[in-house]
Amino acid sequence: MKPIVMAGPWITELEIKTVEDAMRNGWYENSYGYVEKFQVEFAKYHNRKFAVMTPNCTTAIHLLLTALGIKEGDEVIVPECTWIASAAPITYLKATPVFCDIDPVHWCLDPSSVEKNISPKTKAIIVVDLYGNMPDMNAIVSISEKYNIPLIEDAAEALGSTYYNVKAGKFGVGSVFSFHRTKTLTTGEGGMLLLDDENLYKRCMILRDHGRDGALPLHMRDPKQKEYFSNEVTYKYMPFNVQAAMGYAQFQRVGELIAKKHWIYEEYKKRLNEVDDILLNPEPDFVFNGVWITALVFGKSYNLTKQIAIQKLSKLNLPSRPFFYPLSSLPAYPGLEEKNRKNNPVAYDISSRGINLSCAMNLTIDQVDAICDGIKKILK
Ligand SMILES: Cc1ncc(COP(=O)(O)O)c(C=O)c1O
């Protein structure tokens, strides 16, 4: 059996040929050809009006928060357990991330914790579809509407997930996706921002390119805008056509990519069904879970921390990774742990007992067998 790796993509001749085409022909008048095709199709698939491709998902969040006017002194709600990229752009803008507790079943934002943490300074809520799991989106959307606070859906990990038949990426004023090399659909590094509001779209497009509107469709551009004449200092978060060509080709296979992820999850589930007192990503009736990564939370009866579990599995040559740490426990966000441990007990508890299993697109049945046998062995 080949060594098991944690993550990696599924690349076919289609991606190779499409990237080759971009290398050969994607210049001059075609310099953004694949970017535009990918944006249009990705928006349509998610029933959104606009898509803005970015160098990665972190920059997509940064763009949207900036377009929403988030600034120093503002607070933005974000779940405790997510990749730091969900929160870092809040900090870039000198605003304050307010880390809220998660739900013990789906591990995403707990609506009651969100409501408790809303203050007059709260200017946005970022909900994260953790590992492909869907939050209680109806409740989160209601809170956003009740308090008139814009909602951002961080769907970086949730390509293919649905909630009552609505695709992840359709919630809130805008949503973001990651095409990092470990993700279901990859461009190596890459991201996408989806929007429905034309003004917000225009603002994001201008912010993406040094305060210029040149990447907007012609009818949305200012006819008086002079070449090289920036109106303000903004970011440079333009995508690269070759990167978009890879994304476009992967996107032609989106159904197959999502099906593979779901297959991996089902294979883990079949083998681990017989193990008592563990949790895997949930998939209630009203959800299809894209399961970017299968996560496993050990029940308290095992008295097993994620660090010990990871070490034990590693001794069996089985890789695994820690469930995301509560962000308030990281040195990156000092001084918060004591208070947040009390306020967000579920996040601290679940995270301490959770691990991520391999989600590599080349995972074989033998390897799934070996991983599940290993888990059963360390639980004996
Ligand atoms: C939940 C979440 N948000 C944001 C990101 C950031 O994505 P990127 O690495 O493309 O910037 C990731 C990536 O891993 C993620 O998992």
Side-chain angles (χ1 to χ4, degrees), residues 18 34 37-38 41 243-253:
T18 312
Y34 278 111
K37 284 204 301 194
F38 187 27
E41 290 196 17
Q243 177 192 35
M246 182 166 170
Y248 180 74
Q250 285 254 283
F251 189 62
Q252 306 313 303
R253 303 178 45 235

Side-chain angles (χ1 to χ4, degrees), residues 39-49 167 194:
Q39 286 178 163
V40 167
E41 290 196 17
F42 200 78
K44 196 165 161 214
Y45 177 84
H46 290 94
N47 192 24
R48 287 280 197 182
K49 290 210 178 84
K167 287 201 174 79
L194 297 181

Side-chain angles (χ1 to χ4, degrees), residues 252-305:
Q252 306 313 303
R253 303 178 45 235
V254 65
E256 165 172 84
L257 298 178
I258 295 162
K260 179 74 195 247
K261 285 289 186 185
H262 205 263
W263 175 83
I264 294 173
Y265 165 67
E266 289 290 347
E267 293 302 318
Y268 280 131
K269 225 165 65 168
K270 268 190 232 162
R271 288 161 182 75
L272 297 173
N273 249 346
E274 65 197 67
V275 181
D276 285 339
D277 201 21
I278 57 166
L279 282 179
L280 297 180
N281 311 46
E283 193 177 39
D285 290 349
F286 51 91
V287 166
F288 174 85
N289 195 326
V291 212
W292 164 57
I293 220 164
T294 302
L296 192 173
V297 176
F298 302 106
K300 285 185 182 162
S301 61
Y302 294 108
N303 203 14
L304 185 64
T305 64

Side-chain angles (χ1 to χ4, degrees), residues 205-219:
M205 290 291 272
I206 290 168
L207 288 170
R208 194 179 66 161
D209 191 16
H210 287 310
R212 306 186 305 165
D213 69 1
L216 276 167
L218 253 184
H219 70 279

Side-chain angles (χ1 to χ4, degrees), residues 56-59 61 82-83 85-86 128 154 156-157 178-180 183 189-190 292 324:
N56 54 57
C57 174
T58 310
T59 48
I61 301 172
T82 175
W83 178 229
S86 307
V128 181
D154 181 344
E157 304 176 356
S178 170
F179 308 133
H180 182 249
K183 292 294 190 290
E189 290 281 353
W292 164 57
F324 291 131

Side-chain angles (χ1 to χ4, degrees), residues 106-287:
H106 54 63
W107 316 326
C108 304
L109 264 185
D110 171 355
S112 65
S113 177
V114 173
E115 206 155 12
K116 250 187 257 161
N117 281 286
I118 286 177
S119 84
K121 292 183 185 167
T122 312
K123 293 293 160 16
I125 299 169
I126 300 179
V127 63
V128 181
D129 309 330
L130 198 77
Y131 304 138
N133 302 355
M134 291 308 289
D136 182 352
M137 211 49 109
N138 285 341
I140 301 282
V141 169
S142 298
I143 293 172
S144 143
E145 286 169 357
K146 177 172 162 195
Y147 293 91
N148 200 18
I149 300 170
L151 178 68
I152 297 173
E153 184 189 7
D154 181 344
E157 304 176 356
L159 182 69
S161 293
T162 64
Y163 176 83
Y164 289 103
N165 293 323
V166 178
K167 287 201 174 79
K170 182 56 187 169
F171 298 93
V173 293
S175 61
V176 292
F177 286 87
S178 170
F179 308 133
H180 182 249
R181 66 183 166 74
T182 55
K183 292 294 190 290
T184 305
L185 183 162
T186 187
T187 57
E189 290 281 353
M192 195 76 90
L193 168 60
L194 297 181
L195 301 158
D196 286 320
D197 180 83
E198 184 169 318
N199 288 329
L200 206 49
Y201 168 65
K202 280 192 200 160
R203 186 72 192 127
C204 289
M205 290 291 272
I206 290 168
L207 288 170
R208 194 179 66 161
D209 191 16
H210 287 310
R212 306 186 305 165
D213 69 1
L216 276 167
L218 253 184
H219 70 279
M220 289 188 198
R221 285 186 218 162
D222 175 0
K224 289 193 254 46
Q225 173 84 53
K226 289 182 271 183
E227 279 292 347
Y228 300 156
F229 208 77
S230 294
N231 292 316
E232 57 186 311
V233 176
T234 71
Y235 314 126
K236 174 67 191 303
Y237 287 164
M238 292 298 282
F240 175 35
N241 201 40
V242 174
Q243 177 192 35
M246 182 166 170
Y248 180 74
Q250 285 254 283
F251 189 62
Q252 306 313 303
R253 303 178 45 235
V254 65
E256 165 172 84
L257 298 178
I258 295 162
K260 179 74 195 247
K261 285 289 186 185
H262 205 263
W263 175 83
I264 294 173
Y265 165 67
E266 289 290 347
E267 293 302 318
Y268 280 131
K269 225 165 65 168
K270 268 190 232 162
R271 288 161 182 75
L272 297 173
N273 249 346
E274 65 197 67
V275 181
D276 285 339
D277 201 21
I278 57 166
L279 282 179
L280 297 180
N281 311 46
E283 193 177 39
D285 290 349
F286 51 91
V287 166

